[in-house]
Amino acid sequence: MSQEKGGSTRPGTAGSDSTKTNASPESQQTTRLDIPEKDLPRGGEGESAIPEDKKEDIIENHEDDWEHDPRNPRNWPFWKKWRMAGIVSLYTFVSPLASSMMAPGLPEIAQHFNITNETVVALTLSIFLLTFAIGPLFLAPLSEIYGRTWILHIGNLMFLAFNLGCGFAPNTGTLIGMRLLCGFFGSAPIACGGGTISDLFSERDRASAMAVYSLGPLIGPAVGPIAGGFISETVGYKYVFIVISALCGIASALGIPFLRETYSPVIRLRLAKASGDPEMFTKSHPHLVHNHTGKWHLIWINLHRPFILLTRSFVCFILSLYMAFMYGIYYLMFTTFPTLFSDVYHFSPGISGLCYIGLGLGFIFATVFGASFADKVYRTLSEKNGGKGKPEFRIPALIFGSFFVPVGLFWYGWSAQAEIHWIMPIIGSGIFGFGMMTTFLPIQLYLVDTFTYAASALAAASVFRSTLGFAFPLFGQQMYAALGNGGGNSLLAGLAIVLGIPFPVWLWYNGEKVRARSTLTRA
């Protein structure tokens, strides 16, 4: 494990996560004390420019002066970094968009396939999230072997093909099967995107890039139904999937020629092969070659380590649970919005799609405000702490955002229950969206800053939240039928208060002690 000058630890990446050994913390820890002063990094370079955390790889990087190499993605020009981040964010926007774009067309789909069971209707939408959760566990290690770009490109092209399959599915079983495969290949940007951002940006300027990247999985599902409602109403639900496929084609047209590989070990291995003397490189860097060519080992590590973190770290579990809970509510809204606004407010399918604008605006405001607010708080507290950052400095932004989640749910639920003007539940959903996005960013940054195996911590959170996103819509209609919109959302708001407010406050005061006692966290 590397340690930055000033004491703040560098967040890990997907690459660093799966190449660790089981050595003791003492043997894993590497400081800068053994590196000559003249070789200390300049500007944005340094150990923050080395994606791996493994001690042997860091030594080999230093020997090659990789941290100062202009071919290192951390040392690329500012505009090139943001071009890569923009393309990856586009990929990350398209697949979550597809997860919910069909939501306003669910009544038409039920009628077309003669589906009478409400749970099966919800399943056609939420089944996507089941494999969307599992996919990164397989695709992330593959990206460490073959590079992030080809996983992104191939995943997007397969996603395009299976969305066309959804559009022309002859029966319910085929539609559900195609949606299942769409979720798996659509998860490629989730598997690789966070690692790409970490490849390009060091932690001191990562929050803004992470906010833009995180916006895709959140605003995509909110924007999708807006277009999907009008498409379903005018030309039929099949064209929802055709439009998604067209967007995948546009993303590939931009990504394939312009996206460059960002994962340093793969870049260095490719440079070695092109050098004309790969044998010499293999002899000089045996650890680098060995650690990034064991296919089944990497897959096994990525499969089981997230579950180890969830079961052995209370901090990882509770933060992941809070994220998953909000994500479940988010997808619950997708399946209940069409019924609410068509039955209560008598909106057409196209107009019902516009009701998701509240969520989208909440996400946008939170992204603009949350990223700058989180950065400012972190830097201010770090300066007061002698320039040393701590994961707990992410907590004030989390506490701030957590208050908006129950407020939004109460507002949305009881305004819908009272059947007052349609703008009121939309405003409530926007407040919830603001709170959700404002809490997502500090939770992700806290997990990255805290855990030695940062990518596995993010994978654990991703699996957890997509699983609840799959499960919540399956019982949502029954809950609202029993408790009403007001009672059902009050129940959710109460759980949001219990999960989201006391624990971050406790973490602010006790997080450092917990990290010191755990073998899973950074020193």
Side-chain angles (χ1 to χ4, degrees):
M1 181 178 64
S2 62
Q3 206 169 21
E4 297 244 4
K5 188 176 183 179
S8 63
T9 53
R10 178 181 58 80
T13 68
S16 66
D17 171 60
S18 58
T19 59
K20 293 267 186 185
T21 64
N22 293 323
S24 65
E26 291 81 1
S27 66
Q28 286 183 346
Q29 191 166 12
T30 300
T31 67
R32 291 182 145 177
L33 297 177
D34 57 341
I35 299 177
E37 183 69 25
K38 64 183 179 63
D39 290 334
L40 285 176
R42 303 173 297 276
E45 302 172 345
E47 289 188 63
S48 62
I50 305 173
E52 300 97 340
D53 283 334
K54 188 171 174 61
K55 181 178 179 180
E56 294 88 347
D57 286 352
I58 292 174
I59 295 171
E60 292 179 5
N61 282 326
H62 176 62
E63 290 174 352
D64 259 13
D65 203 27
W66 179 245
E67 64 266 34
H68 299 150
D69 196 314
R71 294 172 297 185
N72 188 325
R74 288 283 182 91
N75 301 327
W76 287 352
F78 176 84
W79 62 269
K80 186 175 182 180
K81 289 184 181 183
W82 275 99
R83 186 181 73 189
M84 301 301 110
I87 293 173
V88 172
S89 297
L90 176 60
Y91 275 133
T92 311
F93 170 77
V94 172
S95 55
L97 178 82
S99 68
S100 65
M101 197 170 179
M102 63 181 285
L106 288 176
E108 182 189 353
I109 291 172
Q111 183 179 7
H112 178 82
F113 292 109
N114 297 316
I115 306 173
T116 56
N117 189 312
E118 290 182 349
T119 301
V120 176
V121 175
L123 187 64
T124 61
L125 175 73
S126 66
I127 192 68
F128 179 98
L129 291 173
L130 185 61
T131 46
F132 198 72
I134 298 171
L137 300 179
F138 294 90
L139 297 178
L142 290 177
S143 74
E144 298 164 10
I145 300 167
Y146 301 108
R148 306 201 197 279
T149 53
W150 282 111
I151 298 298
L152 287 167
H153 297 330
I154 293 172
N156 186 62
L157 291 173
M158 296 298 291
F159 187 62
L160 184 157
F162 287 118
N163 269 291
L164 288 176
C166 290
F168 295 95
N171 52 56
T172 307
T174 304
L175 175 62
I176 291 175
M178 291 292 107
R179 287 282 289 173
L180 197 70
L181 292 169
C182 280
F184 182 85
F185 288 103
S187 68
I190 304 299
C192 304
T196 300
I197 299 300
S198 293
D199 293 341
L200 294 166
F201 299 94
S202 61
E203 74 277 13
R204 58 180 170 270
D205 55 4
R206 185 178 295 156
S208 296
M210 186 67 80
V212 173
Y213 163 75
S214 300
L215 188 61
L218 294 177
I219 199 172
V223 171
I226 298 173
F230 288 106
I231 293 171
S232 298
E233 183 180 23
T234 54
V235 292
Y237 79 91
K238 290 184 178 181
Y239 285 89
V240 169
F241 298 106
I242 293 173
V243 169
I244 293 169
S245 298
L247 291 174
C248 290
I250 294 172
S252 287
L254 293 172
I256 291 175
F258 296 113
L259 187 63
R260 298 290 178 265
E261 182 57 54
T262 62
Y263 186 45
S264 286
V266 171
I267 293 174
R268 299 180 71 197
L269 289 172
R270 290 177 182 176
L271 290 172
K273 291 178 181 179
S275 68
D277 192 7
E279 292 81 5
M280 181 60 68
F281 180 86
T282 301
K283 291 178 181 178
S284 302
H285 301 278
H287 296 288
L288 185 64
V289 174
H290 172 74
N291 291 330
H292 302 287
T293 54
K295 300 178 179 62
W296 297 112
H297 174 70
L298 288 177
I299 291 173
W300 170 245
I301 289 294
N302 278 264
L303 279 173
H304 82 278
R305 188 176 284 150
F307 299 102
I308 291 176
L309 285 169
L310 281 176
T311 54
R312 296 186 185 178
S313 171
F314 178 67
V315 172
C316 183
F317 173 80
I318 199 70
L319 288 175
S320 299
L321 176 63
Y322 186 42
M323 288 182 71
F325 177 73
M326 289 188 290
Y327 209 67
I329 297 172
Y330 183 36
Y331 271 86
L332 181 58
M333 287 183 174
F334 289 141
T335 56
T336 56
F337 267 24
T339 302
L340 172 66
F341 287 100
S342 61
D343 293 352
V344 175
Y345 295 101
H346 310 293
F347 285 3
S348 67
I351 300 300
S352 293
L354 294 175
C355 298
Y356 296 85
I357 288 178
L359 283 167
L361 290 176
F363 292 147
I364 292 172
F365 289 145
T367 301
V368 174
F369 171 79
S372 59
F373 176 72
D375 264 348
K376 184 176 181 180
V377 170
Y378 186 83
R379 288 171 182 169
T380 300
L381 292 174
S382 297
E383 289 172 3
K384 291 181 179 179
N385 194 44
K388 298 179 181 180
K390 295 181 181 179
E392 285 70 39
F393 295 163
R394 310 287 187 185
I395 296 299
L398 172 58
I399 295 173
F400 173 79
S402 65
F403 284 99
F404 289 89
V405 174
V407 170
L409 289 172
F410 280 125
W411 188 311
Y412 164 73
W414 286 106
S415 60
Q417 180 79 20
E419 299 184 13
I420 56 179
H421 194 275
W422 54 264
I423 195 65
M424 297 303 286
I426 293 177
I427 292 174
S429 69
I431 295 172
F432 168 77
F434 179 87
M436 180 179 175
M437 183 64 184
T438 307
T439 54
F440 258 48
L441 181 60
I443 288 176
Q444 290 188 89
L445 291 172
Y446 187 91
L447 292 174
V448 167
D449 290 354
T450 297
F451 290 95
T452 305
Y453 304 111
S456 286
L458 292 179
S462 176
V463 171
F464 210 162
R465 73 171 184 254
S466 293
T467 301
L468 290 197
F470 159 73
F472 267 47
L474 301 182
F475 66 79
Q477 295 286 1
Q478 293 89 331
M479 182 186 71
Y480 287 129
L483 301 177
N485 285 306
N489 282 285
S490 293
L491 173 62
L492 297 174
L495 291 173
I497 292 172
V498 171
L499 289 173
I501 295 178
F503 181 71
V505 174
W506 176 84
L507 200 59
W508 169 256
Y509 289 104
N510 299 285
E512 190 169 2
K513 297 177 184 177
V514 172
R515 287 189 292 111
R517 292 195 302 264
S518 175
T519 59
L520 299 173
T521 59
R522 299 175 187 273

